[in-house]
Amino acid sequence: MNLDESGFNKKLFLKGWLPALVALVTIVTSLVLWLALEAKQDFSIAKTTKANAENVQNQINARMESRIRALMRMAKRWEFSGRPVRAAWEDDVANYLHDYQDLQAIEWIDSSHLVRWIVPLKGNETKLGVNLLLEQRRGRAAEMAQQEREPVVTQPVELFHGGTGFVIYAPIYIGTNFDGVLGGVFNAQKVFDTCLPDRIATGNSIAISESGVKIYQRNPSPLPAGQDWIVDSKIELNGTVWNVRVWPTPELMAQLDTSLPKIILLVGLVMSLLLSVAVRLTQVARIQVGKIAEQTTELKRFNQELREALEKVKTLSGLLPICGRCKKVRDDGGYWSQIETYVTRHSDASFSHGLCPECSIKFFEDGGLPMPDKVREAAKKMK
């Protein structure tokens, strides 16, 4: 047997374990391919989510920049032309309210932080004359705008007519004299709905918060298991920071999550079973072929012996020239030999010598010897 130093029969091992080894290799290959496809699919979802989050952030930044610039233009006109007539200012504000549907009101707060003008006035009458410093977030943002001479966005505030929003304050300086601030009051829900149309928000869950306080949510859905599918970003504005979180909705994940990896795994498992069975059947077939080859060899040997026997039989068959007197036989070479010698030479037979009953009687009679009873009885039977 083919044994190594430890007495291990490698050939028998391979014969017995080869189907299992083939199945194991196929299963491992299928698992590796499945994991690779799953990883690629996860990467595709993460990449898509990241691109969507960047798009969301860019849209919000662009729309907020547009609103801040609009208020700053109004403040600059005030600075260049001086304090406008109230009626003219209100007409100008009406155009802004028409252009920005998420802008609820624009107010002018004078240098002593009192609310002097507001459009629209209807529904906001009680706000006239209010000291802005009495409201912590609004007052702090207005003071910051005055000090930095830059527009400032408040932290989330409760709107007078309900809901959550924010105010953008633009400082007014006529020369070196501070003439108050212009405040644009925005509804957060409307602002972000305008910033994020359906073509951008579709398939994404979006949440915007400030200091842990949620100020906007779109397409709410459970957070996915994959952390790479959740993208957090920040929008830094003068006075506040918005935290933006974007993740794919279950509907989008269902579209991106194909069944190909699972099909590959299933096909691999089936293939592993089929290959192991095929290897085993091949082994069995080779064993049967080996047995048939051995039987064929044995059959050929038997046929050869049979042919040799038949040749011998042929040799002893047919007409043999035999002497009528001495009973010698002539062979194919023309030589005469005793019949015993001829038969022994051409077959497996051997001879032993004795006397037949007739010759026995003659032997005893010719020799004058008494004849045994057995010989006499045998002679009678022959008659």
Side-chain angles (χ1 to χ4, degrees):
M1 297 180 70
N2 183 23
L3 301 177
D4 58 14
E5 294 180 356
S6 63
F8 183 70
N9 191 320
K10 294 180 179 179
K11 187 174 182 181
L12 291 178
F13 173 80
L14 289 177
K15 284 184 178 180
W17 287 92
L18 186 58
L21 184 61
V22 170
L24 179 61
V25 171
T26 308
I27 290 173
V28 170
T29 303
S30 301
L31 286 174
V32 171
L33 184 58
W34 170 65
L35 291 174
L37 290 175
E38 286 285 350
K40 182 179 180 181
Q41 189 166 269
D42 291 349
F43 176 76
S44 177
I45 295 176
K47 185 177 180 181
T48 300
T49 304
K50 184 177 180 180
N52 291 336
E54 290 178 353
N55 198 7
V56 168
Q57 185 177 15
N58 292 336
Q59 288 293 325
I60 294 176
N61 277 323
R63 300 301 177 91
M64 286 300 298
E65 183 68 20
S66 172
R67 285 154 179 75
I68 292 173
R69 287 180 179 275
L71 282 173
M72 285 300 297
R73 285 195 298 270
M74 181 181 290
K76 291 299 180 182
R77 286 198 299 272
W78 190 305
E79 292 177 358
F80 293 149
S81 304
R83 183 181 300 176
V85 177
R86 181 172 182 173
W89 180 82
E90 291 178 349
D91 289 340
D92 191 20
V93 169
N95 293 327
Y96 279 84
L97 294 174
H98 180 269
D99 293 338
Y100 296 97
Q101 299 297 317
D102 45 38
L103 180 58
Q104 287 198 341
I106 295 180
E107 54 193 14
W108 171 54
I109 298 94
D110 65 15
S111 59
S112 60
H113 300 99
L114 298 178
V115 178
R116 293 300 185 184
W117 298 345
I118 186 169
V119 177
L121 182 59
K122 186 177 181 179
N124 294 312
E125 295 88 351
T126 57
K127 295 179 65 178
L128 288 176
V130 173
N131 190 331
L132 198 65
L133 296 179
L134 298 178
E135 299 183 30
Q136 182 180 2
R137 293 189 173 183
R138 294 176 185 243
R140 185 170 62 245
E143 286 185 321
M144 188 177 190
Q146 176 184 351
Q147 294 169 4
E148 297 185 3
R149 296 195 176 191
E150 295 288 343
V152 174
V153 181
T154 68
Q155 292 179 308
V157 297
E158 293 296 324
L159 299 178
F160 186 73
H161 295 289
T164 303
F166 55 87
V167 183
I168 301 175
Y169 288 115
I172 304 172
Y173 277 87
I174 301 177
T176 58
N177 297 321
F178 177 63
D179 201 27
V181 294
L182 292 177
V185 182
F186 291 87
N187 182 292
Q189 185 73 32
K190 292 182 179 180
V191 168
F192 295 123
D193 281 343
T194 303
C195 294
L196 305 173
D198 290 340
R199 62 181 178 82
I200 295 176
T202 299
N204 299 296
S205 295
I206 304 169
I208 301 176
S209 62
E210 195 275 340
S211 299
V213 178
K214 186 183 297 182
I215 57 178
Y216 179 77
Q217 189 165 9
R218 183 81 166 268
N219 302 327
S221 67
L223 292 175
Q227 291 300 315
D228 292 340
W229 301 351
I230 304 172
V231 179
D232 291 312
S233 59
K234 296 182 182 296
I235 297 178
E236 297 183 359
L237 302 168
N238 194 10
T240 187
V241 177
W242 290 340
N243 298 301
V244 181
R245 170 169 286 186
V246 178
W247 67 94
T249 61
E251 293 76 15
L252 180 60
M253 286 192 293
Q255 295 176 7
L256 298 176
D257 186 9
T258 65
S259 57
L260 180 60
K262 300 179 181 63
I263 294 175
I264 293 295
L265 179 60
L266 179 60
V267 171
L269 295 177
V270 173
M271 287 295 295
S272 66
L273 176 62
L274 294 178
L275 284 175
S276 61
V277 172
V279 170
R280 183 55 187 163
L281 292 178
T282 301
Q283 288 180 324
V284 172
R286 291 185 63 181
I287 293 173
Q288 295 298 327
V289 169
K291 290 181 178 180
I292 293 173
E294 292 177 358
Q295 292 175 357
T296 301
T297 302
E298 184 67 20
L299 184 60
K300 287 181 179 179
R301 186 185 63 79
F302 177 75
N303 289 337
Q304 181 64 28
E305 293 177 354
L306 183 60
R307 282 194 296 269
E308 293 175 356
L310 289 174
E311 290 295 331
K312 293 178 180 180
V313 171
K314 288 180 181 179
T315 303
L316 295 175
S317 63
L319 296 174
L320 292 176
I322 187 170
C323 177
R325 187 173 182 274
C326 68
K327 306 303 181 181
K328 291 183 178 180
V329 178
R330 187 183 68 191
D331 60 17
D332 295 337
Y335 297 100
W336 292 88
S337 59
Q338 293 292 333
I339 189 169
E340 297 95 331
T341 304
Y342 182 87
V343 172
T344 300
R345 186 182 302 157
H346 291 85
S347 70
D348 293 332
S350 59
F351 289 88
S352 63
H353 292 83
L355 295 174
C356 68
E358 291 182 356
C359 292
S360 297
I361 294 172
K362 187 176 179 180
F363 172 77
F364 284 104
E365 289 178 347
D366 292 345
L369 298 172
M371 186 180 302
D373 294 337
K374 291 182 179 181
V375 175
R376 190 176 288 109
E377 290 177 2
K380 288 180 180 180
K381 289 180 179 180
M382 290 183 62
K383 295 179 180 181

